[in-house]
Amino acid sequence: MSDTAIITAFSLIAEADPALLQIIGLSLRVSLSAIALACVIALPLGAALALARFPGRGGVIVLCNALMGLPPVVAGLLIYLLLSRSGPFGGLELLFTPTAMIAAQTVLVVPIILSLTRSMVEELWGEYEEQLRSLGSGRLRAVPTLLWDGRVGLLTGILAGFGRASAEVGAVLIVGGNIAGHTRTMTTAITLETNRGNLAMAVALGIILLAIVLGLNALAFGLTQWSRRRMG
């Protein structure tokens, strides 16, 4: 890679290139929306799975843990089949839109947040069950308290989910189509621009994406250290 491409990449970032900003903005909007939706789904389900007792619970836990490693292209294919014209939701005409990309990223992130929530709430319930029951709090009523008590660990997991969503390429490429100005994210743009030989734009996007991932990991590490110091 030539020095010219690197210099041009930093110039694009410093000058706030409109095309660059548009791609970054869409990427963040899609990933943040997916994380918000995943939290709404996964936090209560994870807590319920932690506290409920029913036949086959162990199998459900194993399945949720396995889905944490769900290949992005499989998630993309699933959403594609659901939203295609012959699919059950084809009439909504959501395929190749940001909404479809949000759905694909949500499918990828939900198992991560759900499994972490289940593990953390189950551990906290085992630790505080006696105390909570003495205060008249049953399993269901204890959920908000347990989620709040484990908020730092949960936030770390949410950040990890955001990191996976923002760095994902396969699923959003399948359901988004990488349409310029409409569904082109940082990861799909990097792939396209590299194939085109436009290394400056690809490098600029790569720098931004790397900075986001490093920032998220630094934040997660900082929260973990702060929590440990606070707990003594």
Side-chain angles (χ1 to χ4, degrees), residues 61-219:
I61 292 175
V62 170
L63 177 62
C64 291
N65 290 338
L67 288 176
M68 292 175 67
L70 179 68
V73 290
V74 175
L77 178 60
L78 172 63
I79 299 301
Y80 182 92
L81 293 174
L82 291 173
L83 299 181
S84 65
R85 289 187 177 182
S86 58
F89 303 107
L92 298 176
E93 298 183 351
L94 295 176
L95 198 60
F96 305 129
T97 68
T99 302
M101 296 157 66
I102 291 170
Q105 289 193 2
T106 300
V107 169
L108 288 172
V109 175
V110 161
I112 297 174
I113 300 177
L114 192 153
S115 295
L116 175 67
T117 302
R118 193 275 311 167
S119 177
M120 183 161 294
V121 169
E122 190 171 2
E123 182 179 340
L124 290 172
W125 175 250
E127 185 176 350
Y128 297 118
E129 179 180 3
E130 247 182 69
Q131 183 181 350
L132 289 169
R133 287 195 181 279
S134 68
L135 296 172
S137 179
R139 289 176 181 266
L140 184 61
R141 292 181 59 187
V143 168
T145 301
L146 295 173
L147 288 176
W148 176 253
D149 196 63
R151 61 192 181 279
V152 174
L154 291 174
L155 184 56
T156 301
I158 291 170
L159 290 173
F162 179 79
R164 187 184 188 195
S166 62
E168 198 285 315
V169 59
V172 296
L173 188 59
I174 292 174
V175 302
N178 198 21
I179 303 169
H182 185 54
T183 60
R184 184 163 296 168
T185 63
M186 285 187 283
T187 51
T188 59
I190 289 172
T191 302
L192 178 66
E193 300 300 343
T194 301
N195 290 335
R196 284 178 171 176
N198 185 7
L199 295 182
M201 178 62 80
V203 170
L205 289 167
I207 292 171
I208 298 296
L209 185 58
L210 183 60
I212 291 173
V213 172
L214 287 175
L216 288 173
N217 279 277
L219 181 57

